[in-house]
Amino acid sequence: MSQVQWETFLRTGFRYGSQNKIAFCSPKGAQVLNAYAATNIRVPTPDKASTYGVDMKTYGSAQGTVDIVMHRNWADSTIYGGYIVLVDMDAVKMRPLRATRLDADVQAPDYDGFKDRYLTEVSLAVQHERRHALLTGLTGAAA
């Protein structure tokens, strides 16, 4: 994927919603995004002079700001291995199924003591599909 293709994807992803989004990436997707910065590496201070490489956590463009989160468990997936999911967190809400409650005395009968637990049953509600975007088909490093 070229940087122009990435910017085109961002134009689609930022058409609706907020100007700050999160890109959940496979390791392959993070590699592609890091490759964009490889030609622009700058060593900011003398104490970092022995460090080389890119650890890009945020990508800024005219479309908006993208925080990058890599999911290592997508590395071996035949489905998610080439994915980048752009999510507008302003359109993701927590929806409780039931109120949080305290369950007292949940220990095993032979346990010498007392155990209690708090139980919360929740889910996420994703609103406004057009505020999010999905990029698929990544096969390798940036062009």
Side-chain angles (χ1 to χ4, degrees):
M1 176 176 70
S2 69
Q3 193 166 1
V4 172
Q5 290 169 319
W6 168 247
E7 288 287 341
T8 302
F9 167 72
L10 290 182
R11 188 176 67 229
T12 303
F14 277 100
R15 182 170 180 191
Y16 302 102
S18 71
Q19 296 303 304
N20 296 305
K21 299 192 182 198
I22 298 177
F24 295 99
C25 305
S26 65
K28 192 179 300 180
Q31 174 189 358
V32 169
L33 297 178
N34 281 341
Y36 298 153
T39 58
N40 297 315
I41 293 177
R42 293 183 183 91
V43 179
T45 59
D47 61 323
K48 297 283 185 179
S50 63
T51 304
Y52 181 80
V54 175
D55 184 18
M56 191 163 68
K57 302 289 185 195
T58 302
Y59 184 94
S61 78
Q63 308 301 324
T65 303
V66 180
D67 292 325
I68 299 166
V69 177
M70 181 176 59
H71 279 280
R72 292 189 192 281
N73 55 345
W74 290 0
D76 299 325
S77 174
T78 57
I79 298 172
Y80 301 114
Y83 274 29
I84 296 178
V85 181
L86 189 67
V87 178
D88 185 347
M89 293 304 290
D90 291 343
V92 177
K93 306 292 181 207
M94 186 173 73
R95 296 288 182 218
L97 177 64
R98 295 181 185 87
T100 299
R101 68 177 188 268
L102 173 64
D103 291 338
D105 299 324
V106 297
Q107 69 276 358
D110 62 341
Y111 182 77
D112 191 20
F114 297 98
K115 285 188 178 179
D116 299 335
R117 72 173 175 201
Y118 283 98
L119 180 64
T120 302
E121 296 176 283
V122 298
S123 182
L124 296 176
V126 180
Q127 304 169 327
H128 310 294
E129 182 179 342
R130 64 185 180 183
R131 293 175 70 169
H132 314 282
L134 175 64
L135 180 75
T136 62
L138 293 177
T139 58

